[in-house]
């Protein structure tokens, strides 16, 4: 069992930056692929970025070049550095931890943190 707690959200002006953190409890954090998702009001939850257990990163086109995902396995924490923020980045951001062992899909979500980009 993995519990995820996001933090770092808030109100920021367009062009500003925020760094989100996701702290994980439980064992074997380093074996999980970690992802960030977001959901704006009236929209479906969408994938933003991920970092694999091996450290490989991928980004949605809408955030590529502006957001950076990283992890610190010693601290059981994954980060999302968000720069050059736009109003359309406003959403609740969720952390996800996932790994598949044989036929078992271990999939966990945090409670989310609100990001609002507005002047």
């Amino acid at each position: 069992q993995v519990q995820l707690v996001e933090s770092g959200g808030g109100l920021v002006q367009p062009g500003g930056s925020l760094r989100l953190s996701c702290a994980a409890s439980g064992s074997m954090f380093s074996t999980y692929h970690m992802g960030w998702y977001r959901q704006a009001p009236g929209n479906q939850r969408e994938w933003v970025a991920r970092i694999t257990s091996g450290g490989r990163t991928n980004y949605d086109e809408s955030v590529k070049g502006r957001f950076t995902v990283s992890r610190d396995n010693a601290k059981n924490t994954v980060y999302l550095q968000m720069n050059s923020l736009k109003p359309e980045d406003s959403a609740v951001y969720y952390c996800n931890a996932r790994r598949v062992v044989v036929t078992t899909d271990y999939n966990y979500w945090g409670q989310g943190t609100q990001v609002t980009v507005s002047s």
Side-chain angles (χ1 to χ4, degrees):
Q1 184 79 8
V2 173
Q3 294 181 328
L4 304 172
V5 179
E6 300 97 333
S7 61
L11 173 65
V12 64
Q13 292 187 343
S17 298
L18 281 175
R19 188 175 83 152
L20 305 183
S21 299
C22 173
S25 64
S27 61
M28 304 180 74
F29 170 79
S30 63
T31 67
Y32 282 83
H33 304 312
M34 301 299 297
W36 286 96
Y37 292 71
R38 65 188 180 187
Q39 186 169 18
N43 291 355
Q44 290 188 335
R45 190 172 298 188
E46 62 179 17
W47 170 72
V48 175
R50 75 166 183 172
I51 183 165
T52 68
S53 59
R56 188 173 71 246
T57 59
N58 299 95
Y59 301 91
D60 182 77
E61 285 297 324
S62 65
V63 306
K64 195 174 291 185
R66 300 188 297 122
F67 289 11
T68 302
V69 60
S70 61
R71 66 191 298 162
D72 186 337
N73 290 334
K75 295 182 178 180
N76 279 16
T77 301
V78 63
Y79 304 96
L80 185 67
Q81 177 68 43
M82 305 186 296
N83 299 328
S84 302
L85 282 161
K86 305 174 182 180
E88 51 264 42
D89 294 317
S90 298
V92 178
Y93 282 70
Y94 297 91
C95 177
N96 173 261
R98 188 177 185 188
R99 69 176 184 137
V100 178
V101 179
V102 189
T103 58
T104 302
D105 188 351
Y106 298 91
N107 197 8
Y108 304 99
W109 293 92
Q111 83 291 347
T113 185
Q114 177 71 49
V115 172
T116 303
V117 185
S118 175
S119 55

